[in-house]
Amino acid sequence: MEPNSYANQRIARISSHLNPPNLKMNEHGDGSSLTSFHCRAKGASPGFKVAILGAAGGIGQPLSMLMKINPLVSVLHLYDVVNTPGVTSDISHMDTAAVVRGFLGQNQLEDALTGMDLVIIPAGVPRKPGMTRDDLFNINAGIVKTLCEAIAKRCPKAIVNVISNPVNSTVPIAAEVFKRAGTYDPKRLLGVTMLDVVRANTFVAEVLGLDPRDVDVPVVGGHAGITILPLLSQVKPHSSFTTKEIEYLTDRIQNGGTEVVEAKAGAGSATLSMAYAAVKFADACLRALKGEADVIQCAYVDSQVTELPFFASKVRLGRDGVVEFLPLGPLSDYERASLEKAKKELATSVEKGVAFIRK
């Protein structure tokens, strides 16, 4: 290869990170994946292709930064309807192996998704003081529907992590979209409830005087208010709590999001802790895709654990997504009563999501 030609290719490759070209399909012309030249710069590490939809938002920006650091990510596609070029430029300067490329606006959505292994969806509007997650439904439901229609076209085999609230309804919306497209695989669709687990570990560690990294609190049910049920009877290391402590911890874990919304006084919701939790969960998905054994996390999924069609509980992850549902285990009287209350509200939220697509 001529020196000038090689230099020009290098310059074009660098420029394409910031200004994506019209992406070329594979040599078979079936649109199923991009050519290796467009997917990965020379020398990039082997790993997985990850897309973040809503990458310029309050959760999306720190989430994108943290995913750029993950050694299991080789290609990172950042999509949003505004401000993606700036976020892409900023993050692409980080000296980690993942190649970053930005996509702006609806007309580039499908290109952003082509050939992805993992898709993370933090897109949507945040909560403000006085709002519940259900108040976000009318806006975020339509956003999730549009994004999932593109996923079904461009990367139907990808693992999909849904963050957009209300998760109790948006995950059923995603499922209905995939069913309509004929691509639904319940093992590959996961609602991210990791922030509830992160908060539970933190708040319990504060009460016990432990390092949060040494605490494991299963959190089941859903991802809003009383549907969030921390199983304090199953805390590791095993601990006993007074009735007052159980009520305090349960209430704080259930209302942790409201605590942040009120503290920010109209300036946003839980974005940084949510990004941290989302990356922790995404890393678990990637480790499972790589073949690591015994990757167990709580997630809101198409479930067999209760009579409800969707439920958050501990699941084992593998190369195909969810490979096993772990049982709830023994519950205390307080937890059994709380579970019945949670299931009633959760059933309404699931039906609301299903009805949005079927109407």
Side-chain angles (χ1 to χ4, degrees):
M1 182 181 294
E2 293 296 324
N4 286 345
S5 175
Y6 179 62
N8 288 339
Q9 281 198 18
R10 288 171 58 193
I11 292 169
R13 187 183 295 120
I14 293 169
S15 298
S16 72
H17 295 171
L18 305 182
N19 301 293
N22 290 325
L23 300 172
K24 296 179 180 178
M25 296 300 112
N26 64 19
E27 59 191 16
H28 302 293
D30 60 8
S32 60
S33 63
L34 304 178
T35 64
S36 59
F37 176 85
H38 288 93
C39 277
R40 186 176 302 172
K42 184 177 180 181
S45 65
F48 297 101
K49 303 182 185 73
V50 178
I52 298 175
L53 309 183
I59 297 170
Q61 291 197 39
L63 170 58
S64 299
M65 181 188 72
L66 293 170
M67 290 304 293
K68 175 73 165 78
I69 298 170
N70 192 306
L72 295 177
V73 179
S74 62
V75 177
L76 184 61
H77 282 189
L78 307 181
Y79 168 83
D80 214 319
V81 293
V82 293
N83 301 330
T84 328
V87 175
T88 305
S89 176
D90 197 355
I91 290 176
S92 70
H93 293 180
M94 295 166 61
D95 59 349
T96 58
V99 172
V100 183
R101 184 170 292 125
F103 299 82
L104 179 65
Q106 183 73 30
N107 64 332
Q108 293 188 0
L109 173 58
E110 291 188 12
D111 288 340
L113 290 166
T114 303
M116 295 294 105
D117 300 303
L118 173 66
V119 179
I120 308 172
I121 309 178
V125 297
R127 277 204 296 163
K128 296 178 181 178
M131 294 177 68
T132 67
R133 289 180 177 87
D134 276 338
D135 291 332
L136 305 176
F137 180 87
N138 290 332
I139 298 173
N140 289 354
I143 293 172
V144 170
K145 176 179 180 287
T146 298
L147 298 177
C148 287
E149 287 170 346
I151 291 170
K153 289 181 182 178
R154 291 301 190 179
C155 53
K157 298 296 186 182
I159 303 295
V160 179
N161 290 355
V162 179
I163 298 170
S164 305
N165 275 315
V167 166
N168 291 354
S169 299
T170 54
V171 171
I173 285 171
E176 290 300 311
V177 170
F178 295 148
K179 286 176 185 177
R180 280 192 171 187
T183 64
Y184 183 49
D185 183 347
K187 301 188 299 295
R188 297 177 183 271
L189 175 62
L190 303 102
V192 180
T193 60
M194 179 63 81
L195 182 53
D196 301 323
V197 176
V198 166
R199 285 175 174 148
N201 292 344
T202 300
F203 302 159
V204 168
E206 288 176 358
V207 169
L208 298 177
L210 298 174
D211 185 327
R213 294 171 294 182
D214 297 329
V215 176
D216 179 30
V217 184
V219 182
V220 304
H223 183 58
I226 66 168
T227 70
I228 300 168
L229 178 56
L231 301 183
L232 298 173
S233 66
Q234 299 180 26
V235 169
K236 294 180 182 178
H238 178 71
S239 305
S240 296
F241 300 96
T242 66
T243 301
K244 187 175 181 180
E245 286 174 331
I246 290 171
E247 292 174 350
Y248 162 77
L249 285 167
T250 300
D251 181 73
R252 192 175 180 205
I253 293 163
Q254 290 177 339
N255 294 293
T258 301
E259 181 179 317
V260 176
V261 169
E262 292 177 350
K264 289 190 174 182
S269 57
T271 54
L272 302 177
S273 55
M274 182 65 249
Y276 165 80
V279 168
K280 192 172 182 180
F281 187 74
D283 180 70
C285 291
L286 293 176
R287 287 187 285 111
L289 281 171
K290 189 179 179 183
E292 184 175 320
D294 293 321
V295 179
I296 297 172
Q297 297 292 346
C298 291
Y300 181 68
V301 295
D302 189 325
S303 176
Q304 303 170 3
V305 172
T306 71
E307 69 276 16
L308 294 173
F310 292 90
F311 192 80
S313 63
K314 280 194 171 184
V315 296
R316 190 184 309 276
L317 301 174
R319 285 196 167 101
D320 295 320
V322 176
V323 296
E324 182 184 359
F325 299 94
L326 276 64
L328 288 180
L331 304 181
S332 68
D333 291 342
Y334 180 88
E335 289 162 354
R336 279 193 292 272
S338 297
L339 178 59
E340 291 309 308
K341 294 176 185 176
K343 286 197 290 188
K344 289 179 182 178
E345 183 160 322
L346 192 52
T348 301
S349 297
V350 171
E351 180 54 37
K352 188 175 183 178
V354 172
F356 178 79
I357 299 298
R358 294 184 179 177
K359 66 182 178 181

